[in-house]
Amino acid sequence: MLLEVEGLCVNYGHIEAIRDISFGVQEGEIVCLIGANGAGKTTTLKTISGLRTVREGQVRFDGQDITNVPAYERVALRLSQSPEGRGVFVGMSVRENLDMGAYVRKDVKTPAYREDLDRVFDLFPRLKERERQIAGTMSGGEQQMLAIGRALMARPRLLLLDEPSMGLAPKLIQQIFSIIKEINEQGTTVLVVEQNAAQALKLADTAHILETGEIVRSGTGAELSGDDSVKAAYLGGDV
């Protein structure tokens, strides 16, 4: 198991944001967390990446307990995140943003680094076209591509994606999900938080449904997308 989350509890002050969450991510999988706003999806992802303090429970990555490991050290262990809202460095160029994604690497002047940069440009040709453009002047879809590309520059074994389709036009949503699948097929394990449940379940090997900080259902993407109660609650009655 590449990622193991066991009995995880996280508070915001006195408010219990997630409680007793347990799940795993096998190497090579795409795993999705779906649920309504406030269900605890983003908190779960932030806790895995080291941005939230654990009250109880454990996070293990490749067999190592990383529950109390700082976020920057988790990136060095090859766990990186594309955050909700993209979070690009708006005053920097596309290339500078991508270079920032590789800040923990020691091989920035080597062919391996250039290969990873070329991989990002192959996945997102628009970024290559706009390599010198200031990120803050780009469209929302372009910034989402940049946020994912920046996370990939850390050469992650596990890529965490928080709401990659948020605010995007339907045509671009299809493109982003297609690229996520391609990233996975190239060998990167993916854990994605997504409100677009229909698209997420089509993509997922395994999916978990969160409600008020707890996992209430788990299964394959196909199983959950075919379940009538899931359709009614999350898919508008249909996938």
Side-chain angles (χ1 to χ4, degrees), residues 28-83:
E29 272 193 314
I30 298 177
V31 175
C32 292
L33 305 179
I34 63 173
N37 272 338
K41 306 184 304 298
T42 290
T43 299
T44 301
L45 221 58
K46 285 184 174 181
T47 305
I48 292 167
S49 62
L51 300 175
R52 288 287 177 265
T53 301
V54 174
R55 178 170 61 82
E56 291 181 23
Q58 191 176 63
V59 179
R60 291 187 295 275
F61 183 64
D62 197 22
Q64 177 181 344
D65 184 352
I66 63 167
T67 309
N68 298 308
V69 171
Y72 71 91
E73 291 185 17
R74 300 188 197 200
V75 178
L77 292 172
R78 298 178 63 190
L79 186 159
S80 66
Q81 179 171 349
S82 173

Side-chain angles (χ1 to χ4, degrees), residues 49 69-81 89 96-109 113 116 150-157:
S49 62
V69 171
Y72 71 91
E73 291 185 17
R74 300 188 197 200
V75 178
L77 292 172
R78 298 178 63 190
L79 186 159
S80 66
Q81 179 171 349
F89 299 107
E96 288 168 337
N97 268 269
L98 295 175
D99 288 342
M100 286 296 292
Y103 78 97
V104 297
R105 294 177 59 168
K106 310 297 184 185
D107 62 347
V108 293
K109 297 185 183 298
Y113 184 83
D116 289 335
R150 182 182 60 190
L152 287 173
M153 287 304 296
R155 193 178 270 188
R157 291 180 65 193

Side-chain angles (χ1 to χ4, degrees), residues 21-237:
I21 284 180
S22 298
F23 67 94
V25 180
Q26 297 273 10
E27 189 145 22
E29 272 193 314
I30 298 177
V31 175
C32 292
L33 305 179
I34 63 173
N37 272 338
K41 306 184 304 298
T42 290
T43 299
T44 301
L45 221 58
K46 285 184 174 181
T47 305
I48 292 167
S49 62
L51 300 175
R52 288 287 177 265
T53 301
V54 174
R55 178 170 61 82
E56 291 181 23
Q58 191 176 63
V59 179
R60 291 187 295 275
F61 183 64
D62 197 22
Q64 177 181 344
D65 184 352
I66 63 167
T67 309
N68 298 308
V69 171
Y72 71 91
E73 291 185 17
R74 300 188 197 200
V75 178
L77 292 172
R78 298 178 63 190
L79 186 159
S80 66
Q81 179 171 349
S82 173
E84 181 183 18
R86 299 147 197 155
V88 299
F89 299 107
V90 294
M92 293 183 177
S93 70
V94 167
R95 176 59 187 272
E96 288 168 337
N97 268 269
L98 295 175
D99 288 342
M100 286 296 292
Y103 78 97
V104 297
R105 294 177 59 168
K106 310 297 184 185
D107 62 347
V108 293
K109 297 185 183 298
T110 68
Y113 184 83
R114 185 69 229 187
E115 286 172 12
D116 289 335
L117 192 61
D118 288 343
R119 176 196 181 199
V120 170
F121 287 150
D122 285 343
L123 288 165
F124 303 107
R126 189 74 60 85
L127 298 184
K128 176 63 176 175
E129 296 167 8
R130 288 160 166 67
E131 187 173 357
R132 298 180 184 276
Q133 185 169 334
I134 298 301
T137 67
M138 300 170 76
S139 71
E142 290 165 345
Q143 289 187 21
Q144 184 62 71
M145 294 175 188
L146 180 55
I148 297 173
R150 182 182 60 190
L152 287 173
M153 287 304 296
R155 193 178 270 188
R157 291 180 65 193
L158 177 61
L159 175 64
L160 308 177
L161 300 175
D162 195 352
E163 301 285 7
S165 76
M166 181 182 287
L168 303 185
K171 185 176 180 179
L172 194 51
I173 289 173
Q174 295 280 356
Q175 183 183 353
I176 289 291
F177 275 96
S178 176
I179 291 168
I180 292 169
K181 185 172 179 61
E182 187 175 351
I183 289 167
N184 177 249
E185 289 171 348
Q186 291 177 355
T188 303
T189 305
V190 178
L191 174 60
V192 58
V193 156
E194 184 55 63
Q195 263 195 290
N196 189 329
Q199 289 290 343
L201 291 178
K202 287 178 184 176
L203 186 73
D205 297 302
T206 304
H208 306 283
I209 298 175
L210 273 72
E211 289 182 4
T212 59
E214 297 180 289
I215 292 176
V216 295
R217 291 287 302 279
S218 298
T220 67
E223 286 169 349
L224 294 181
S225 63
D227 184 283
D228 289 342
S229 63
V230 174
K231 287 181 182 181
Y234 300 101
L235 308 173

